[in-house]
């Protein structure tokens, strides 16, 4: 049995998450990944924004920072640059990272700052009661799209890839072991890394869209998930409504804090020249 | 002047003095976003910081810059951002976060004309109330206003010292005149000013309460990564730092947060008094406007009119203790401001309306001239 307790603040339990929420599965996968890498609790700073998933840092025994809505990556940028030896993990949601915080998300990717972003995509604003988000599929109902959503969704992973991230992977809470591997790789990667996790929100999204129980929703994830390899052989029509999982980007390129450290060294060795 | 003194004479702007003051205070992290008239501060620090093991970053927006300095401060770096009106508005939510989570940081606002985009290259003092109440909810804040280039250097250091001492964001409220004016200065050397660091806990990690209700109202602070793992949130929290809905804890937190400035008010406030002993007419002026006011006062004194002046270098907390006596000794208190009377209201209540408060206001992008103030003195005296 994996010993989760050494990473948890058990006195802060029970979790605020609803029964059937997928967020706990991600938490466990993340802790197993951290354990595999062998990071100590002191070496990790976990930063979050606002939303259900952003409550996660409260339950883990790291240096934890629960910030303002959308700004987790901005706060994390300061932590990482001021203490580059720290492993900085950002926990955020689809609304937090790609609506109100979209600017920080793309620019941290562009800079290739060594942050690991675990992005919980549940297609909805759960904490505030089920409002439409940038990843709510067209036609789905939310408390602010009562007639069905008219807006096309963001491709969150594609966005990070286009903006310059070093590592991008997409998984689901159905494939928890795959998820664990993705998170491990993302943390190990020197550079901006994103793991997009498709996770069900039975309370604020599933219920309104008659998607059944939490178990039904996870079963749907299983049925709709398509690996990258499989997806390559499918037509756009066949891919409609599917979730493509796998490592989408894994490249090595100059990382921001390392480049800055090099510059700083050069300047310090150069005396008296402006 | 001795020759070694002569070597130290420089002609610099307020923005340059601010950057130098920050470096002297131990600045190690600056995050900013381009905005007139404060951009020179970022430009200078982008050049200087990497040479002293510091880090500079131009963020994607003003909000990000404010967030980044809070993160850096929690990681142990002395951190600052600089902006002007529109950017100051954007930073407000995270300024409130820094106040709530008690994260030391310095926010420079080189004021320009507003509201909105207003007058990017012209001076104003329209953000006095915003620096006090810009973010939502009752919160502590300290705001300083320099009136010269040298004082900008000194007050920038003081801003860092106060933020470290009281674990609070400190606003350095400059204005475009001070930011861009060139003045001949000799900046003080390292042995001429004190640098204060945040107080660290004297208990082991297992006994550490990051938001402990101490007598000084300021809990000791430790950086991330030093073995004291704790939780930081903008939600109402108890002494452990974790969210709470307990009315008793919430009340205690908010009273301590605001109380920490109250308790230390006398150590924080600072005023410069000039000829107030025999003054029959008082002037209350701050920032660049105080320069014109001082000139007007001297001209009036030459004419035999007994004018005195009070110049606060700390606007918030408000120095009512020093303003109240003006009401008792002066018939009039003149308050010149490059806004429509934001501080005049404070002066009115602080003097208990014992003296008549006379406003001189300009919002056209022009500084208030000594003549304008002198005319008012003559009018009031007659
Ligand atoms: S509202 Fe949805 S996302 Fe939030 S805890 Fe409940 S199930 Fe999870």
């Amino acid at each position: 049995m994996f010993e989760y307790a050494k990473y948890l603040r058990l006195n802060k339990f029970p979790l605020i998450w609803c029964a059937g929420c997928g967020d706990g599965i991600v938490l466990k996968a993340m802790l197993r990944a951290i354990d595999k890498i062998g990071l100590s609790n002191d070496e990790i700073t976990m930063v979050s924004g606002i939303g259900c998933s952003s409550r996660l840092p409260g339950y883990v025994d790291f240096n934890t920072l629960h910030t303002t809505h959308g700004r987790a990556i901005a706060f994390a940028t300061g932590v990482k640059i001021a203490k580059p030896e720290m492993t900085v993990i950002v926990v955020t949601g689809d609304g937090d990272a790609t609506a109100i915080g979209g600017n920080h998300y793309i620019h941290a990717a562009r800079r290739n700052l060594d942050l690991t972003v675990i992005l919980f995509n549940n297609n909805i604003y759960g904490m505030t009661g089920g409002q439409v988000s940038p990843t709510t599929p067209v036609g789905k109902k939310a408390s602010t799209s009562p007639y069905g959503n008219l807006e096309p969704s963001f491709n969150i992973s594609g966005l990070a890839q286009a903006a310059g991230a070093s590592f991008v992977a997409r998984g689901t809470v159905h494939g928890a072991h795959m998820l664990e591997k993705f998170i491990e790789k993302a943390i190990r990667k020197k550079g901006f890394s994103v793991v997009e996790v498709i996770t069900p929100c039975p309370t604020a999204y599933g219920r309104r869209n008659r998607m059944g129980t939490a178990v039904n929703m996870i079963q749907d994830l299983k049925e709709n998930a398509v690996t990258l390899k499989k997806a390559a052989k499918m037509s756009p029509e066949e891919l409609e409504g599917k979730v493509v999982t796998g490592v989408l980007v894994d490249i090595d390129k100059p990382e921001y804090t390392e480049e800055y450290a090099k510059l700083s060294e050069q300047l310090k060795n150069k005396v008296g020249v402006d | 002047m001795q020759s070694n003194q002569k070597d130290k004479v420089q002609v610099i702007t307020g923005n340059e003095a601010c950057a130098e003051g920050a470096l002297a205070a131990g600045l190690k992290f600056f995050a900013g976003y381009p905005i007139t008239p404060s951009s020179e501060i970022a430009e200078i620090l982008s050049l200087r910081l990497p040479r002293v093991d510091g880090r500079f970053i131009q963020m994607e927006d003003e909000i990000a810059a404010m967030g980044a300095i809070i993160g850096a401060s929690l990681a142990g770096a002395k951190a600052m951002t600089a902006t002007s009106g529109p950017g100051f508005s954007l930073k407000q939510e995270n300024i409130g976060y820094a106040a709530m989570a008690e994260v030391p940081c310095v926010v420079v606002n080189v004021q320009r004309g507003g509201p909105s985009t207003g007058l990017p290259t012209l001076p104003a003092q329209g953000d006095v109330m915003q620096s006090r109440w810009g973010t939502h909810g009752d919160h502590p804040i300290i705001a300083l206003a320099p009136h010269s280039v040298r004082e900008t250097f000194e007050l920038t250091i003081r801003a860092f010292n106060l933020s470290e001492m009281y674990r609070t964001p400190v606003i350095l409220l400059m204005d475009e005149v001070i930011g861009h004016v060139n003045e001949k200065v000799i900046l003080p050397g390292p042995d001429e000013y004190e640098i204060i660091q945040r107080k660290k806990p004297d208990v082991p990690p297992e006994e550490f309460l990051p938001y402990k209700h101490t007598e000084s109202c300021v809990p000791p602070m430790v950086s991330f990564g030093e073995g004291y793992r704790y939780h930081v949130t903008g939600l109402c929290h108890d002494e452990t730092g974790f969210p709470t809905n307990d009315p008793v804890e919430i009340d205690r937190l908010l009273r301590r947060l605001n109380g920490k400035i109250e308790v230390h008010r006398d150590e924080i406030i600072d005023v410069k008094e000039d000829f107030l002993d025999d003054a029959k007419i008082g002037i209350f002026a701050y920032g660049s406007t105080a320069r014109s006011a001082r000139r007007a006062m001297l001209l009036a004194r030459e004419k035999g009119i007994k004018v005195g002046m009070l110049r606060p270098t700390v606007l918030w907390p408000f120095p009512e203790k020093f303003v109240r006596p003006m009401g008792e000794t002066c018939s009039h208190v003149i308050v010149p401001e490059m806004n429509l009377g934001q501080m005049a209201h404070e002066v009115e209540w602080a003097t208990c309306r014992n003296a008549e408060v006379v406003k001189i206001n300009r919002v056209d992008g022009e500084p208030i001239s000594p003549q304008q103030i002198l005319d008012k003195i003559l009018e009031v005296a007659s």
Side-chain angles (χ1 to χ4, degrees):
Chain A
M1 225 337 239
F2 182 81
E3 202 206 319
Y4 292 100
K6 63 178 169 181
Y7 299 112
L8 293 172
R9 289 167 172 154
L10 288 172
N11 61 344
K12 299 298 162 195
F13 279 53
L15 304 159
I16 61 150
W17 298 324
C18 310
C21 177
D23 292 3
I25 300 174
V26 192
L27 166 62
K28 288 172 78 178
M30 191 179 71
L31 295 181
R32 291 193 304 270
I34 285 169
D35 192 69
K36 245 192 215 159
I37 300 170
L39 292 165
S40 77
N41 297 31
D42 278 323
E43 290 172 299
I44 300 171
T45 295
M46 194 162 281
V47 189
S48 67
I50 297 294
C52 293
S53 55
S54 286
R55 285 301 191 93
L56 188 152
Y59 304 114
V60 288
D61 187 20
F62 308 133
N63 306 284
T64 55
L65 177 56
H66 176 226
T67 72
T68 47
H69 196 16
R71 317 302 171 200
I73 291 175
F75 281 65
T77 299
V79 174
K80 183 68 192 179
I81 295 175
K83 253 203 173 90
E85 66 277 18
M86 185 73 84
T87 296
V88 183
I89 302 172
V90 175
V91 172
T92 178
D94 43 306
D96 195 51
T98 68
I100 189 164
N103 206 20
H104 316 308
Y105 182 67
I106 55 175
H107 284 276
R110 172 182 64 79
R111 257 175 220 128
N112 198 32
L113 181 69
D114 184 24
L115 301 175
T116 299
V117 176
I118 319 277
L119 206 161
F120 295 58
N121 182 0
N122 61 4
N123 313 103
I124 203 81
Y125 284 84
M127 182 158 272
T128 44
Q131 293 78 16
V132 69
S133 100
T135 60
T136 306
V138 172
K140 291 291 184 189
K141 286 190 177 154
S143 67
T144 48
S145 63
Y147 306 110
N149 178 28
L150 298 176
E151 301 178 21
S153 295
F154 254 145
N155 173 346
I156 289 181
S157 290
L159 196 60
Q161 177 173 12
S166 284
F167 181 90
V168 183
R170 189 190 288 117
T172 77
V173 294
H174 175 262
H177 288 294
M178 202 201 277
L179 201 57
E180 179 188 323
K181 281 203 192 90
F182 293 165
I183 296 174
E184 185 195 338
K185 281 190 181 158
I187 296 174
R188 284 190 196 275
K189 187 71 178 185
K190 196 87 202 155
F192 189 76
S193 317
V194 175
V195 179
E196 178 187 358
V197 188
I198 314 296
T199 172
C201 167
T203 305
Y205 180 66
R207 193 175 43 91
R208 196 171 266 112
N209 286 291
R210 304 192 183 285
M211 296 169 84
T213 63
V215 175
N216 294 138
M217 288 182 82
I218 291 181
Q219 230 144 22
D220 283 351
L221 277 181
K222 179 186 173 188
E223 275 150 33
N224 287 329
V226 179
T227 60
L228 256 184
K229 219 165 152 194
K230 245 201 201 154
K233 294 183 205 130
M234 291 166 72
S235 70
E237 291 74 39
E238 287 170 318
L239 279 171
E240 194 64 42
K242 300 287 181 203
V243 175
V244 180
T245 60
V247 176
L248 309 169
V249 181
D250 187 358
I251 49 175
D252 290 315
K253 53 182 187 173
E255 189 275 328
Y256 180 85
T257 58
E258 288 186 346
E259 292 304 298
Y260 205 118
K262 275 188 221 159
L263 168 75
S264 188
E265 274 315 301
Q266 278 166 17
L267 289 170
K268 275 189 289 175
N269 296 333
K270 215 158 95 184
V271 207
V273 193
D274 249 301
Chain B
M1 199 184 284
Q2 288 169 350
S3 72
N4 65 337
Q5 282 291 88
K6 239 188 221 161
D7 295 345
K8 291 187 193 152
V9 175
Q10 12 177 358
V11 179
I12 58 170
T13 64
N15 282 349
E16 286 176 281
C18 174
E20 293 302 332
L23 290 166
L27 175 77
K28 281 286 178 272
F29 182 84
F30 180 95
Y33 185 81
I35 188 164
T36 304
S38 81
S39 293
E40 295 87 358
I41 298 171
E43 287 166 356
I44 296 163
L45 291 170
S46 71
L47 196 67
R48 298 283 301 281
L49 276 170
R51 292 164 178 266
V52 294
D53 266 333
R55 293 292 181 261
F56 166 91
I57 188 166
Q58 181 172 313
M59 294 298 285
E60 52 276 11
D61 57 40
E62 296 275 4
I63 299 169
M66 190 62 216
I69 67 165
I70 296 171
S73 180
L74 283 165
K78 285 194 180 175
M80 177 172 103
T81 184
T83 188
S84 186
F88 194 52
S89 294
L90 285 166
K91 290 185 192 301
Q92 291 301 330
E93 186 192 6
N94 284 342
I95 291 175
Y97 184 95
M100 180 63 138
E102 300 182 74
V103 185
C105 55
V106 174
V107 180
V108 181
N109 175 4
V110 187
Q111 294 170 95
R112 65 193 230 184
S116 189
T117 316
L119 298 163
T121 60
L122 297 174
Q125 295 176 310
D127 305 345
V128 171
M129 278 297 162
Q130 193 189 13
S131 47
R132 180 63 196 90
W133 294 116
T135 195
H136 57 281
D138 290 296
H139 60 274
I141 205 80
I142 296 174
L144 313 178
H147 87 311
S148 70
V149 170
R150 183 181 155 114
E151 196 175 70
T152 301
F153 178 87
E154 293 163 350
L155 289 191
T156 306
I157 295 176
R158 181 141 203 256
F160 277 95
N161 284 346
L162 291 169
S163 77
E164 294 286 321
M165 224 180 324
Y166 301 115
R167 291 191 61 177
T168 180
V170 175
I171 315 292
L172 183 72
L173 211 48
M174 296 167 64
D175 59 59
E176 191 273 342
V177 173
I178 298 299
H180 284 162
V181 71
N182 271 289
E183 275 185 328
K184 205 159 127 183
V185 289
I186 297 175
L187 295 180
D191 48 349
E192 291 169 75
Y193 47 79
E194 192 192 359
I195 301 296
I196 293 168
Q197 316 289 356
R198 58 191 71 165
K199 194 171 169 279
K200 300 257 176 180
D202 48 16
V203 295
E206 56 280 10
E207 286 168 36
F208 178 57
L209 286 173
Y211 294 96
K212 196 175 161 130
H213 294 265
T214 60
E215 207 172 301
S216 74
C217 295
V218 189
M221 185 176 177
V222 66
S223 311
F224 281 170
E226 292 182 8
Y228 293 70
R229 297 183 300 276
Y230 62 101
H231 189 59
V232 180
T233 179
L235 287 167
C236 285
H237 45 271
D238 60 18
E239 287 185 307
T240 66
F242 286 90
T244 179
N245 280 328
D246 178 351
V248 176
E249 288 295 339
I250 296 166
D251 187 74
R252 238 163 54 115
L253 168 70
L254 291 177
R255 288 187 193 279
R256 177 179 63 74
L257 274 186
N258 290 281
K260 73 181 172 185
I261 302 300
E262 263 331 291
V263 169
H264 300 283
R265 176 180 276 267
D266 286 346
E267 294 133 60
I268 300 169
I269 55 176
D270 174 61
V271 297
K272 309 290 177 208
E273 292 176 304
D274 237 349
F275 295 108
L276 274 177
D277 289 348
D278 65 345
K280 293 285 163 273
I281 295 171
I283 305 177
F284 177 99
Y286 55 93
S288 68
T289 305
R291 301 159 75 103
S292 297
R294 184 155 202 283
R295 178 95 193 112
M297 175 188 72
L298 294 175
L299 290 172
R301 286 233 158 219
E302 277 172 25
K303 293 182 197 294
I305 307 171
K306 288 189 170 150
V307 184
M309 180 168 138
L310 185 76
R311 180 174 73 81
T313 69
V314 178
L315 301 183
W316 306 114
F318 186 76
E320 65 231 38
K321 180 169 133 184
F322 292 93
V323 177
R324 184 153 301 127
M326 285 172 93
E328 282 149 23
T329 53
C330 300
S331 63
H332 296 80
V333 178
I334 299 173
V335 186
E337 300 178 88
M338 287 186 282
N339 59 44
L340 289 177
Q342 297 190 12
M343 268 301 187
H345 292 298
E346 298 296 309
V347 175
E348 243 161 26
W349 72 255
T351 52
C352 309
R353 292 178 202 270
N354 285 329
E356 191 183 329
V357 171
V358 182
K359 299 194 238 176
I360 303 176
N361 306 112
R362 264 195 113 137
V363 286
D364 57 357
E366 293 292 322
I368 297 172
S369 68
Q371 189 60 48
Q372 209 181 335
I373 300 171
L374 181 63
D375 289 348
K376 191 59 88 182
I377 294 170
L378 296 175
E379 186 190 311
V380 164
S382 64

